[in-house]
Amino acid sequence: MSDEDDRGPRPLSDSLRRLAARVVRVDLVGFAGVEAVWGSVTAAVASGAVPLRLSDGALTVVVATGAHATRARRDAAAMLAQLGELLDRAPTTLQVTVRPG
């Protein structure tokens, strides 16, 4: 047991602070904007990238294979530039995740 376990009950606020620090903050409004214009992001077509989430300005996209991930990473700047032309608050970075379909 750690010292923390031996000190007895903790205030709920301590536990909530720790939990909140681990939660990924997702920008649902910004993500909805990305989804609305994604069909116009021609740089995403070759890689088959699909938006997954937007958090703290970082757009995460999902692709089917490692080859698609390589292409998406190569085209990331173009994707971000196109989103910048289409959205008032565009993502600033792009992260690629592989999830085989």
Side-chain angles (χ1 to χ4, degrees):
M1 268 194 199
S2 70
D3 291 337
E4 188 174 296
D5 294 334
D6 294 335
R7 64 182 182 158
R10 293 182 302 254
L12 179 59
S13 60
D14 289 350
S15 296
L16 291 175
R17 258 192 301 280
R18 268 185 259 160
L19 178 63
R22 290 189 285 180
V23 172
V24 175
R25 290 163 181 81
V26 177
D27 180 356
L28 296 176
V29 173
F31 184 73
V34 169
E35 281 190 308
V37 301
W38 192 252
S40 300
V41 181
T42 58
V45 173
S47 66
V50 177
L52 180 65
R53 86 174 148 265
L54 179 63
S55 178
D56 295 325
L59 176 63
T60 301
V61 297
V62 64
V63 296
T65 67
H68 287 103
T70 299
R71 180 68 186 251
R73 289 182 185 107
R74 189 194 81 189
D75 295 344
M79 286 186 238
L80 291 171
Q82 289 177 1
L83 286 169
E85 294 170 1
L86 298 167
L87 298 170
D88 292 334
R89 285 184 41 223
T92 55
T93 60
L94 189 117
Q95 300 169 347
V96 180
T97 299
V98 177
R99 287 199 184 157

